């Protein structure tokens, strides 16, 4: 019979293997290559499992972060929920998430007219040849006309 510590170690090793295998099979992050290595961190009492590879310059790159669901299965964590310790371990990947000012300065305020002009440009028929233009219905149906 396994003791509790051994069972926890076995569970942890299984999660590490599953995280690595998931990334090996599913990861499509451009410029991040295996061999992938899985590890875990604990932050605020919660364990996060992650898998990392390397880029062409040999830097460690984060491929995916997981947490354990109540069912015991791993689930991917949305990037905006990554704990701050990842910023120190993976500065290239986390720069935009944990940077206090990702745009390098104040973003220009836009007037309503500037926003409207931008939207008009985006929805013009020739703005994107890959976009299918939806049919326009200029007729107002009787059902949608308010009764006086």
């Amino acid at each position: 019979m396994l003791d509790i510590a051994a069972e926890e170690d076995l569970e942890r090793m299984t999660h590490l293997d599953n995280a690595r295998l998931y990334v090996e099979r599913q990861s499509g992050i451009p410029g991040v290559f295996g061999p992938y290595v899985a590890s875990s961190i604990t932050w605020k009492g919660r364990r996060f499992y992650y898998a990392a590879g390397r880029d062409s310059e040999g830097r460690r790159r984060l491929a995916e972060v997981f947490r354990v669901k109540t069912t015991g299965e791993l689930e991917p964590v949305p990037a905006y929920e990554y704990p701050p310790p990842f910023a120190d371990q993976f500065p290239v990947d986390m720069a935009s998430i944990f940077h206090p000012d990702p745009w390098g300065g104040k973003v220009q305020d836009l007037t309503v007219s500037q926003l409207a002009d931008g939207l008009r440009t985006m929805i013009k028929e020739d703005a994107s040849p890959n976009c299918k233009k939806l049919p326009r219905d200029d007729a107002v149906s009787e059902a949608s006309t308010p009764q006086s």
Side-chain angles (χ1 to χ4, degrees):
M1 181 192 278
L2 291 173
D3 63 25
I4 294 174
E7 285 182 33
E8 288 174 358
D9 286 343
L10 182 60
E11 182 179 322
R12 183 176 175 274
M13 295 305 293
T14 301
H15 290 319
L16 291 171
D17 286 341
N18 287 340
R20 182 184 50 78
L21 289 170
Y22 176 88
V23 168
E24 284 176 354
R25 294 178 183 149
Q26 303 293 327
S27 183
I29 301 173
V32 178
F33 310 100
Y36 294 100
V37 176
S39 191
S40 68
I41 63 166
T42 301
W43 185 70
K44 291 189 175 183
R46 184 121 197 230
R47 186 176 298 271
F48 292 85
Y49 295 89
Y50 65 93
R54 299 239 175 232
D55 65 15
S56 60
E57 296 175 21
R59 297 176 295 195
R60 288 182 66 219
R61 298 293 301 274
L62 184 63
E64 189 70 71
V65 177
F66 303 91
R67 63 182 154 222
V68 180
K69 297 191 303 187
T70 55
T71 60
E73 298 172 299
L74 291 179
E75 70 174 342
V77 176
Y80 65 87
E81 291 183 17
Y82 288 0
F86 284 111
D88 296 329
Q89 292 187 30
F90 301 98
V92 172
D93 301 301
M94 300 294 102
S96 62
I97 296 172
F98 291 104
H99 192 284
D101 187 9
W103 288 275
K106 185 177 183 315
V107 177
Q108 178 185 358
D109 290 329
L110 297 175
T111 66
V112 173
S113 295
Q114 288 171 317
L115 288 171
D117 289 344
L119 287 171
R120 269 190 223 98
T121 301
M122 289 171 54
I123 59 175
K124 278 186 181 175
E125 189 169 10
D126 60 344
S128 177
N130 297 328
C131 267
K132 181 179 177 184
K133 188 169 180 173
L134 297 174
R136 202 171 149 195
D137 186 11
D138 289 332
V140 177
S141 70
E142 289 180 23
S144 65
T145 306
Q147 299 294 324
S148 326

